[in-house]
Amino acid sequence: MFAAARLRIVVWMLWAGGVLAYYFAYVPRALFLRDVTLAFDARWAAITVVLVGAAAAAFEAIERPGVVESLRRFGYRVRSGRVSTLLVAAGAAVVPWWLVSDRIGAVLTTISVQPFPFLGEALARLIAGGVGASLICFGAIGAGTLVLRVLGLRAESDGEFVVFAAASGFLVISFGSFLLAGLGMYRPAPVAALIAAACFAGAAAKPEIGDVQPAQLRDRQDRRTTAMWLALTGSALAFGVVAALAPEKEWDALWYHLNLPRLWLEAGRPVDIVEEYVSLYPMTWELVFGAGLVLGGATAAKLLHLVCLPLLAATVWLAARRYISRTSAAAAVALVVTTPTLLWESATAYVDLALAFQVAVACYALARYAEQDELAWGVLAALQFGGAAATKHVGVIVTILALAFYVVMTVRSGRRLAAATQRALLIGVAAAVVPLPWYVRSWVASGNPVFPELFSVFGAAPSERWDALTERGLAGFKARFGYGRSFAHLLWLPWDVTVHGARFGGCLGPLFLVLIPAACFLRPRRGVMLLAAAVIAYAAVWASPLSSYQMRFLMPVVAPMSLLAAAGLEAAADAAGEWHRRGRQLVTAAVFAVAVVNLPPFIRLHERDREGWSGFLTHVLRQPPVGVVSGRESEASYLRRELPAFGAWQAINKDLPSDARVLTFAGGDHFYARRRRVSYDSTVARPAVSATAENAGAAVAALRALGITHVLFDRRELERLHAETLAIGSPAIQRACTVFYEDRRVWVCRLDYSRLTD
């Protein structure tokens, strides 16, 4: 038996060494070519190491028994009588803050101190975003407190209370906003009143928190090791905070996650833009971002998404301590937070991190329902699964898989199959009610409840919204990710998605591929194997034609993968400790070092496939935007550098009339456009854009039908489209263009239809 155990640890060590050697192949290559400067920013690498070390020392000091006991006593005093007071204070502050926040921002913007000439601008973003996001978080906790009271669910600890209340409260804020929109009242004042009412409702509900700390929930790691992992978690969150305080620049966030709630707030009601298919997506978290826009601008919206990362980490902590015995909860949390693409998500107003948080809370509540058989846990699970499906279509798949595993889990524990299936179906039906308004809206508007998915089944209306050619274009975009779906590709998928992350549009880091096999191979346990099976089931759906090989769509399983990886670390450390007296410390230190390399300054080390701009990792954080966050650089300068058409839209917003309509060949900048825009790749624009040079008359007629007054050209996009062969780039139309704005990348022209002939 002892020899077999040694053989297993040797095999795992060979596996781990092989994975890391192949994954970080860039490092020896850079050293050999004396190309170390491309490896990472040495200054930020040094700062990161110092930051982690200082944080570890601070956490180790806090972890001393006397300090911990004092903090627990303080926390008990606060939660026993002060939560309601805080909620009342926050509720009373919401409307006054909304009334004066713009004035405060205007005053702060005038502050200028050398060498930070734009310090006031940075302070305005920080204060407006921070205060606005904080008030909305209080509103979410207040609304969630009321939900928990109605369910009769009493949290066993501070962590459970915050996680469950926040997860439920964000849904209340979102669907409350949806109700306001349905009534034609989705304006800043009613949204501010909604947040204030949520705070007051939570205070009136008087939150109840238990003080249950079962002995089996205690972390078996020593104080110093726990402090190291917590320090790494805190350092990663610090990078996320800095990036979240910068102006938004990411494509989907500007395209619809922020732009659609802005348009809804301007209209006061739901808006369906036919040429933008994303306008029929479920918008649960977009409406949470809408509350952020009201109380703190885009920065508040970004910070609200950032909040989901510590909330997800807290959920993982709770799950590790309750369900994964002999596992470091602190290590599991650090592995979640340092996952590069998940950390990037925390710094932008996307929704994949929010989805991962909702899924984690739903699965935790479902596990508690299976464990304790209390109806409140089943209802909470249904609410959160429904919220996941109302956030993204993939939430439907998660719900189906989770309920299937619930049936398996409860049958294995002795319950009859019929009873377990009946309960799962009841939870599923209850969960389906939550996102129903969004799917009904899509069905009424397009004839397809999950538009644009399943176009071949439901079709889509009107024809200007979507057609078979547009469907093929979207399929072509999805085909850019991954390597294919042959049996060989599926077999190699765990390796490819880890090592060749650039092909999947993101990065997981190497530790999941290193540690999860250790959990299954060195110490196979029923709970671990069941969790691994759930991850594999989701990955199978992700790898199927129903989904897309985008790394972002894997974020819902990062939390369970982190639990598995933490279990694998514990198994490997124990096995190494039996081999050598220092084995446990060596394995832990090696894994910790690799986890540090997941942080933004070291991302270049993860790009083993990169050659110039080929194999370049996307959806990851790199050097933190300290310049614009500290006020050394202006917001306008930062956005001009990051977004090719930002300068053009500034000019358009300032000088063109409100009825101007712009056909644009640049994308991912919608949030900064204050004039109606039509993207060149939309279905409705195809007749104007795809007409050949010989058929310029048809293009002119299509432009007139769309009411286009100006065209925004992007030189790179025109080169990719071979615009010289198209009517839009033909001399006839170009001669009718009067240049309104031009820089090195884009130009905007005014169409003079009197100089055009059909």
Side-chain angles (χ1 to χ4, degrees):
M1 181 68 70
F2 184 70
R6 284 200 167 188
L7 178 59
R8 284 197 297 269
I9 188 61
V10 168
V11 170
W12 175 80
M13 291 176 67
L14 290 173
W15 165 256
V19 170
L20 295 175
Y22 190 86
Y23 188 93
F24 291 114
Y26 170 79
V27 179
R29 186 167 72 242
L31 292 172
F32 179 76
L33 298 175
R34 298 182 180 179
D35 192 22
V36 183
T37 55
L38 289 179
F40 52 84
D41 186 320
R43 181 185 59 167
W44 274 107
I47 291 173
T48 300
V49 172
V50 172
L51 176 65
V52 173
F59 276 113
E60 187 175 356
I62 293 173
E63 281 281 308
R64 296 182 186 280
V67 177
V68 170
E69 189 58 34
S70 299
L71 290 173
R72 283 179 177 171
R73 286 197 299 269
F74 174 75
Y76 179 76
R77 289 196 300 270
V78 168
R79 71 184 182 180
S80 62
R82 300 292 186 268
V83 174
S84 295
T85 303
L86 288 173
L87 291 175
V88 169
V94 170
V95 173
W97 169 255
W98 169 66
L99 292 172
V100 305
S101 57
D102 287 342
R103 299 176 190 174
I104 293 174
V107 171
L108 289 172
T109 303
T110 62
I111 299 174
S112 178
V113 178
Q114 293 300 331
F116 303 101
F118 305 100
L119 177 62
E121 190 180 78
L123 286 174
R125 275 197 314 274
L126 170 64
I127 293 174
V131 173
S134 298
L135 291 174
I136 294 165
C137 287
F138 276 117
I141 291 175
T145 298
L146 181 60
V147 171
L148 298 184
R149 288 289 298 213
V150 170
L151 295 180
L153 196 154
R154 180 172 179 173
E156 293 183 346
S157 64
D158 299 328
E160 280 196 348
F161 168 72
V162 172
V163 166
F164 301 147
S168 303
F170 282 130
L171 292 180
V172 173
I173 289 173
S174 176
F175 280 90
S177 299
F178 196 15
L179 178 60
L180 290 175
L183 297 173
M185 298 171 57
Y186 188 61
R187 300 284 186 179
V191 171
L194 172 66
I195 303 303
C199 292
F200 292 136
K206 296 181 180 178
E208 290 187 7
I209 308 170
D211 193 25
V212 179
Q213 296 292 339
Q216 68 267 26
L217 304 192
R218 302 192 184 282
D219 202 330
R220 76 184 293 259
Q221 292 287 321
D222 63 85
R223 188 172 68 244
R224 178 168 297 177
T225 303
T226 299
M228 288 170 51
W229 289 117
L230 293 178
L232 181 56
T233 299
S235 301
L237 290 173
F239 279 106
V241 169
V242 172
L245 291 173
E248 184 60 87
K249 64 184 180 67
E250 299 297 343
W251 186 289
D252 284 8
L254 298 177
W255 180 14
Y256 64 100
H257 294 309
L258 292 180
N259 190 49
L260 288 181
R262 176 182 70 83
L263 295 175
W264 281 40
L265 285 165
E266 291 176 357
R269 56 178 175 76
V271 175
D272 176 16
I273 306 171
V274 173
E275 62 267 23
E276 297 288 357
Y277 71 88
V278 292
S279 65
L280 292 183
Y281 276 173
M283 284 179 52
T284 295
W285 267 86
E286 283 81 359
L287 293 184
V288 176
F289 294 157
L293 295 178
V294 169
L295 294 183
T299 303
K302 294 178 69 177
L303 290 173
L304 286 170
H305 202 220
L306 172 74
V307 165
C308 293
L309 189 56
L311 288 173
L312 176 63
T315 310
V316 169
W317 178 281
L318 293 170
R321 291 193 133 194
R322 190 173 198 98
Y323 295 114
I324 311 294
S325 61
R326 295 175 57 80
T327 296
S328 169
V333 165
L335 292 170
V336 165
V337 172
T338 57
T339 301
T341 292
L342 199 65
L343 182 58
W344 170 84
E345 282 272 350
S346 72
T348 185
Y350 275 48
V351 299
D352 305 279
L353 171 57
L355 175 66
F357 167 54
Q358 287 177 304
V359 167
V361 173
C363 291
Y364 183 85
L366 190 62
R368 291 290 293 271
Y369 181 52
E371 173 192 354
Q372 297 177 209
D373 206 25
E374 294 181 10
L375 179 61
W377 289 111
V379 177
L380 180 63
L383 177 66
Q384 293 303 318
F385 280 128
T391 297
K392 212 162 186 174
H393 294 144
V394 71
V396 176
I397 304 299
V398 171
T399 302
I400 294 171
L401 292 176
L403 292 176
F405 275 89
Y406 164 79
V407 172
V408 173
M409 185 168 54
T410 51
V411 169
R412 288 178 64 94
S413 64
R415 188 178 297 276
R416 294 175 55 190
L417 176 61
T421 303
Q422 182 181 26
R423 291 192 173 195
L425 288 174
L426 287 174
I427 292 173
V429 171
V433 173
V434 178
L436 190 61
W438 291 111
Y439 291 84
V440 169
R441 173 178 181 257
S442 179
W443 177 65
V444 170
S446 70
N448 182 348
V450 291
F451 177 81
E453 316 302 336
L454 300 181
F455 172 75
S456 60
V457 177
F458 296 103
S463 58
E464 294 82 11
R465 186 190 300 276
W466 204 256
D467 59 21
L469 190 58
T470 313
E471 177 73 7
R472 286 198 295 272
L474 181 60
F477 168 77
K478 293 179 179 179
R480 292 163 45 190
F481 298 95
Y483 289 102
R485 291 183 169 85
S486 69
F487 178 76
H489 287 134
L490 294 176
L491 192 63
W492 281 96
L493 188 57
W495 176 270
D496 287 336
V497 77
T498 300
V499 176
H500 306 296
R503 189 61 183 261
F504 296 84
C507 179
L508 292 174
L511 286 177
F512 295 130
L513 190 60
V514 168
L515 294 175
I516 291 177
C520 301
F521 181 62
L522 296 179
R523 190 194 292 162
R525 291 175 288 167
R526 190 178 73 172
V528 167
M529 301 306 289
L530 186 64
L531 194 59
V535 170
I536 292 171
Y538 180 86
V541 176
W542 174 75
S544 74
L546 294 174
S547 183
S548 170
Y549 272 138
Q550 296 183 62
M551 188 75 75
R552 293 186 295 112
F553 297 173
L554 273 181
M555 294 304 101
V557 291
V558 168
M561 287 197 302
S562 298
L563 291 170
L564 289 170
L569 170 60
E570 201 64 32
D574 279 351
E578 294 173 0
W579 184 303
H580 189 275
R581 63 186 183 88
R582 297 284 186 184
R584 181 178 184 82
Q585 292 88 336
L586 289 173
V587 168
T588 303
V591 171
F592 180 82
V594 176
V596 170
V597 177
N598 276 352
L599 294 177
F602 303 98
I603 283 298
R604 179 63 183 93
L605 302 181
H606 297 253
E607 296 178 310
R608 75 169 314 279
D609 296 333
R610 182 175 173 183
E611 297 290 343
W613 291 102
S614 175
F616 183 89
L617 277 175
T618 56
H619 301 102
V620 292
L621 291 179
R622 296 179 184 271
Q623 183 173 330
V626 173
V628 69
V629 172
S630 65
R632 283 204 316 268
E633 182 182 18
S634 71
E635 180 173 323
S637 172
Y638 174 81
L639 290 173
R640 281 175 179 268
R641 188 176 70 253
E642 297 291 341
L643 299 174
F646 180 76
W649 282 112
Q650 281 190 307
I652 291 169
N653 297 338
K654 179 182 178 183
D655 296 327
L656 291 190
S658 59
D659 61 350
R661 194 176 178 99
V662 182
L663 175 68
T664 175
F665 284 80
D669 48 28
H670 299 59
F671 181 69
Y672 298 117
R674 294 299 183 269
R675 299 294 182 268
R676 184 67 181 269
R677 53 174 291 152
V678 178
S679 295
Y680 80 95
D681 55 355
S682 62
T683 307
V684 72
R686 188 185 306 122
V689 174
S690 63
T692 61
E694 294 78 16
N695 199 18
V700 172
L703 289 169
R704 277 183 165 169
L706 289 172
I708 299 299
T709 61
H710 294 75
V711 183
L712 191 160
F713 291 104
D714 182 325
R715 289 179 172 85
R716 291 187 186 176
E717 195 63 25
L718 292 179
E719 182 179 349
R720 188 186 69 83
L721 294 171
H722 301 289
E724 68 277 1
T725 66
L726 302 176
I728 197 71
S730 67
I733 292 183
Q734 292 300 311
R735 281 194 300 269
C737 279
T738 301
V739 175
F740 165 76
Y741 171 91
E742 186 171 13
D743 58 31
R744 290 186 298 177
R745 177 71 179 269
V746 306
W747 81 93
V748 181
C749 76
R750 181 179 65 83
L751 286 176
D752 184 352
Y753 284 99
S754 66
R755 299 166 62 183
L756 292 169
T757 58
D758 292 354

